[in-house]
Amino acid sequence: MSSPHDLELDAETTALLQRYGFDGETFASLRARLDRGEAGDDANRIEGAVRPPEDGDVRPLPELGSADRERLTEKGRAAMAAGKVGIVVLAGGMATRFGGVVKASVDAVDGQSFLALKLQDARRLAETLDATIPMFAMTSFATHDEVERLGAEMSTARAPVTTFAQFISLRLTSDGALFTDEDGAVSPYAPGHGDLPDALRRSGALKAFRESGGELLYMSNVDNLGATLDPAIIGAHLEANEASGAKITAEVVAKEPGDKGGAPARVDGDLQIVEAFRFPDDFDQDTIGVFNTNSFVLDAEALDRDFPLTWFAVRKKVDGREAVQFEHLVGQLTAFLPSAFVKVARSGADGRFQPVKDPAELEARRPEIRALLKARGVL
């Protein structure tokens, strides 16, 4: 296998790449793709016949207080009480718009950080149900040490915290050379949340979770505090599994102007998430009225295997210049595993989509986030 040493990098960079699992063979293969001109927008397009979801493909989460909602809640609570449920929090991002700190550590509401509120959500259910609900925080090279420190401070017997790092790669120029800054240093990056299955397995965390009786993982972004661990969401997944063998349940919300990301669609008849940039040019994305929130219930056993996720070429401005980085995305797991889709409220008392990208958005959303966290017993 290729190693960082083959790139003739300085000792500090080589050590960083080795620590975070740099895959030299994959890097060389992707670099060759770029050299051959096979990393443009057309290469990212999905192959196959694409159609909007059919009636019944996306099911609404029953309203709060309804008999159907209570039924799902009881199913989910039973699974949690039996120690079958854990949470995964994606905590690899740096909050560049908050001053370049680790986003998980940012004060979100009432002096508590994003990460602390995610953990408190799991802890309050674990204590109520006399159960253990572990948190698995996926970090990056930029956030690992800080998130690991925070996790160790907040970990409890009821809600233990395990941190594991995703992998690392290096940015390229459009002609395939290593992208370097004005000082000549290479530019590392974390190659997308598609690292999740492999990173969780390689760390040993997935094996330990399964051996302890764990069966389901609820995954969400650290900066979406609306995505709390709702037993009804777990119950909805369990019912979808019973009805159709679903191994993933994805939360979607009504699409609004400006939303960028994936949506459920049928590709050659198979229901899956298709990222916005992958749809054919002639496909009208407005025919799909929902949007992927990147919150999923994942079957731990089904996750414990290799997945040939697609590497997408992404062009970004770094220090005012174009850089190319290859990323893979966790939503593509729906192309390989039977999947269900549940439509949840975007905002309001039952709202589950409150992403925060910058201080202004946090300030605007904070009153609603505070209200829903209080209503759910997190605050």
Side-chain angles (χ1 to χ4, degrees), residues 51-54 56-58 263-274 333-341:
R51 294 184 289 106
E54 299 173 357
D57 281 348
V58 179
R266 285 193 172 267
V267 181
D268 291 335
D270 295 327
L271 186 63
Q272 60 191 263
I273 289 172
V274 178
L333 289 173
T334 58
F336 301 99
L337 295 172
S339 302
F341 293 83

Side-chain angles (χ1 to χ4, degrees), residues 10 13 179-188:
D10 62 86
T13 302
F179 183 94
T180 57
D181 63 20
E182 58 185 15
D183 296 322
V186 295
S187 182

Side-chain angles (χ1 to χ4, degrees), residues 95-340:
T96 54
R97 297 173 186 173
F98 288 83
V101 297
V102 173
K103 196 166 194 180
S105 69
V106 168
D107 179 355
V109 179
D110 296 349
Q112 297 199 57
S113 68
F114 285 107
L115 188 68
L117 290 166
K118 286 288 187 181
L119 184 59
Q120 177 58 21
D121 178 37
R123 185 185 298 126
R124 53 105 189 178
L125 277 166
E127 292 173 351
T128 298
L129 298 172
D130 191 24
T132 299
I133 300 178
M135 171 195 278
F136 302 95
M138 187 169 82
T139 65
S140 68
F141 70 94
T143 70
H144 183 76
D145 290 344
E146 176 67 2
V147 174
E148 186 175 55
R149 181 188 68 79
L150 292 171
E153 291 177 355
M154 296 184 292
S155 185
T156 64
R158 288 287 187 205
V161 180
T162 298
T163 53
F164 66 101
Q166 67 177 119
F167 305 119
I168 191 171
S169 193
L170 296 173
R171 294 187 176 98
L172 298 166
T173 64
S174 57
D175 60 4
L178 286 175
F179 183 94
T180 57
D181 63 20
E182 58 185 15
D183 296 322
V186 295
S187 182
Y189 72 97
H193 41 55
D195 277 353
L196 175 66
D198 202 16
L200 195 59
R201 292 173 67 206
R202 289 196 194 183
S203 70
L206 183 59
K207 179 181 179 182
F209 177 65
R210 292 187 61 199
E211 288 180 346
S212 70
E215 296 181 3
L216 300 174
L217 290 165
Y218 178 69
M219 189 210 87
S220 65
N221 292 333
V222 73
D223 64 1
N224 179 13
L225 293 174
T228 53
L229 181 58
D230 189 333
I233 295 292
I234 302 300
H237 172 78
L238 291 170
E239 287 205 348
N241 174 261
E242 293 165 2
S244 64
K247 300 301 182 184
I248 299 177
T249 293
E251 292 184 45
V252 297
V253 293
K255 189 185 294 183
E256 292 184 354
D259 282 340
K260 295 180 180 179
R266 285 193 172 267
V267 181
D268 291 335
D270 295 327
L271 186 63
Q272 60 191 263
I273 289 172
V274 178
E275 298 299 326
F277 62 84
R278 300 199 72 199
F279 280 100
D281 282 334
D282 60 356
F283 184 89
D284 182 3
Q285 296 186 43
D286 289 337
T287 60
I288 303 175
V290 293
F291 170 79
N292 172 38
T293 67
N294 212 45
S295 299
F296 301 94
V297 182
L298 304 166
D299 182 288
E301 181 180 7
L303 206 61
D304 200 358
R305 51 165 272 205
D306 292 329
F307 294 93
L309 300 182
T310 304
W311 286 100
F312 304 114
V314 179
R315 285 167 168 76
K316 294 192 173 184
K317 288 291 184 181
V318 179
D319 296 332
R321 294 179 292 129
E322 183 178 88
V324 179
Q325 58 191 55
F326 286 89
E327 301 178 2
H328 50 186
L329 304 174
V330 71
Q332 199 188 5
L333 289 173
T334 58
F336 301 99
L337 295 172
S339 302

Side-chain angles (χ1 to χ4, degrees), residues 1-4 6-7 9 17 21-35 168-173 176-179 186-189 191 311 324-326:
M1 178 179 286
S2 302
S3 76
D6 298 330
L7 298 173
L9 303 170
L17 297 183
F22 176 75
D23 184 341
E25 288 186 358
T26 296
F27 177 77
S29 173
L30 295 173
R31 191 176 187 179
R33 255 181 62 186
L34 186 60
D35 288 341
I168 191 171
S169 193
L170 296 173
R171 294 187 176 98
L172 298 166
T173 64
L178 286 175
F179 183 94
V186 295
S187 182
Y189 72 97
W311 286 100
V324 179
Q325 58 191 55
F326 286 89

